[in-house]
């Protein structure tokens, strides 16, 4: 059974601080996706990581993928309040298919002054 | 990027009634679409795969007679919640795969804005 595990599930951090969210998965997928969800909204795609060693950055967020360790990280640099949201990682249910996704439980991030 | 729409964005209905939710790919064709369900403060769970021209495939534990899926065209899939009950209240999100970029061999899922169903 494919498992996608995120930690932490809840994160409260001060503005200006750095932190990392971890995503472990049990399949041999070479792809991993990160999404952001604001309350009451659908998913916003943040990163699509397509190969081992992939690293992508957008603003204060940086994501990386280690397919050998089956681990992805989402690093937050100098957090600001606008980053408060729930972050999900996901992998293809059928490895590398680009079709249906299996999601982690999500990390609820709250950035406080 | 590709755009997926859903209609309605929210619906309130009485217990025992049926509700239809539409998912459309606006600027691309999708022979396959996916329906997810998200309960409050939980993750998204795949319910079923909608296939144009053939029957939908359902995930374990999802009642196919309760959640009717019809992939009417290459741009439209509908999910009908039949005889809805309060426990069906949830956020329903569809997605459709499309190439990451023009000529890309990689697909990415594009998600609709979701439909919040409340059954009284």
């Amino acid at each position: 059974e494919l498992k996608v595990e995120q930690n932490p599930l809840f994160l409260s951090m001060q503005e200006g601080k750095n932190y990392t969210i971890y995503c472990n998965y049990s399949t041999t997928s070479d792809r991993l996706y990160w999404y952001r969800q604001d309350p009451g909204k659908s998913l916003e795609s943040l990163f699509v990581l397509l190969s081992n060693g992939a690293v992508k950055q957008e603003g204060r967020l940086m994501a990386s993928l280690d397919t050998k360790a089956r681990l992805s990280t989402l690093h937050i640099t100098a957090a600001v309040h606008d980053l408060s949201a729930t972050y999900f990682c996901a992998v293809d249910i059928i490895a590398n298919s680009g079709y249906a996704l299996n999601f982690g439980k999500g990390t609820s991030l709250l950035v406080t002054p | 990027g590709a755009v997926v729409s859903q209609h309605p964005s929210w619906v309130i209905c009485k217990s025992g009634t049926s509700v239809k939710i539409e998912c459309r790919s606006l600027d691309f064709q999708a022979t396959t679409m996916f329906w997810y369900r998200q309960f409050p403060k939980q993750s998204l769970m795949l319910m079923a795969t909608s296939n144009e021209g053939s029957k939908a495939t359902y995930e374990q534990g999802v009642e196919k007679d309760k959640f009717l899926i019809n992939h009417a065209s290459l741009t439209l899939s509908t999910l009908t919640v039949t005889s809805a009950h309060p426990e069906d209240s949830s956020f329903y999100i569809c997605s459709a795969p499309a190439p990451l970029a023009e000529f890309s061999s990689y697909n990415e899922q594009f998600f609709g804005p979701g439909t919040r169903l409340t059954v009284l």
Side-chain angles (χ1 to χ4, degrees):
Chain A
E1 179 189 347
L2 170 60
K3 292 183 180 179
V4 182
E5 296 181 344
Q6 284 182 241
N7 73 84
L9 298 182
F10 300 96
L11 176 57
S12 179
M13 56 189 300
Q14 285 185 313
E15 284 186 327
K17 299 292 187 182
N18 305 330
Y19 207 83
T20 299
I21 299 170
Y22 297 88
C23 177
N24 290 92
Y25 57 97
S26 62
T27 184
T28 56
S29 180
D30 291 330
R31 304 189 202 186
L32 191 130
Y33 310 84
W34 283 98
Y35 295 92
R36 167 180 172 146
Q37 187 178 38
D38 292 295
K41 303 291 186 181
S42 187
L43 300 180
E44 173 190 351
S45 178
L46 294 176
F47 300 107
V48 180
L49 304 171
L50 296 174
S51 61
N52 185 41
V55 177
K56 290 194 174 181
Q57 183 166 4
E58 182 72 34
R60 301 174 187 273
L61 301 178
M62 183 173 71
S64 66
L65 178 61
D66 181 343
T67 59
K68 294 181 180 178
R70 300 182 186 179
L71 170 68
S72 180
T73 61
L74 180 65
H75 186 73
I76 303 159
T77 302
V80 293
H81 179 69
D82 286 351
L83 291 180
S84 297
T86 299
Y87 294 84
F88 292 96
C89 63
V91 297
D92 296 323
I93 290 177
I94 300 174
N96 303 326
S97 64
Y99 284 88
L101 299 176
N102 194 336
F103 288 84
K105 291 187 176 181
T107 297
S108 180
L109 171 65
L110 176 64
V111 181
T112 59
Chain B
V3 179
V4 175
S5 71
Q6 278 182 247
H7 178 80
S9 56
W10 60 270
V11 56
I12 302 173
C13 69
K14 293 182 178 179
S15 186
T17 61
S18 295
V19 174
K20 180 186 284 188
I21 303 170
E22 294 185 348
C23 177
R24 292 181 186 273
S25 55
L26 295 186
D27 50 359
F28 66 103
Q29 293 182 335
T31 56
T32 303
M33 293 182 176
F34 303 98
W35 287 96
Y36 296 85
R37 180 167 54 182
Q38 184 180 33
F39 292 110
K41 299 195 182 300
Q42 293 190 25
S43 188
L44 281 76
M45 296 296 292
L46 178 67
M47 295 177 66
T49 301
S50 175
N51 304 299
E52 191 271 336
S54 64
K55 291 182 180 180
T57 54
Y58 292 81
E59 296 301 301
Q60 192 173 7
V62 178
E63 300 175 58
K64 62 179 181 181
D65 295 329
K66 182 170 184 62
F67 298 99
L68 300 179
I69 291 173
N70 181 30
H71 203 124
S73 73
L74 288 172
T75 59
L76 173 63
S77 173
T78 59
L79 169 68
T80 301
V81 183
T82 62
S83 186
H85 290 284
E87 57 265 30
D88 299 323
S89 298
S90 187
F91 194 45
Y92 292 86
I93 306 175
C94 69
S95 74
L100 274 172
E102 192 174 9
F103 307 123
S104 171
S105 60
Y106 295 106
N107 281 331
E108 181 181 4
Q109 290 301 314
F110 291 88
F111 287 86
T115 296
R116 185 160 304 282
L117 170 63
T118 302
V119 184
L120 302 177

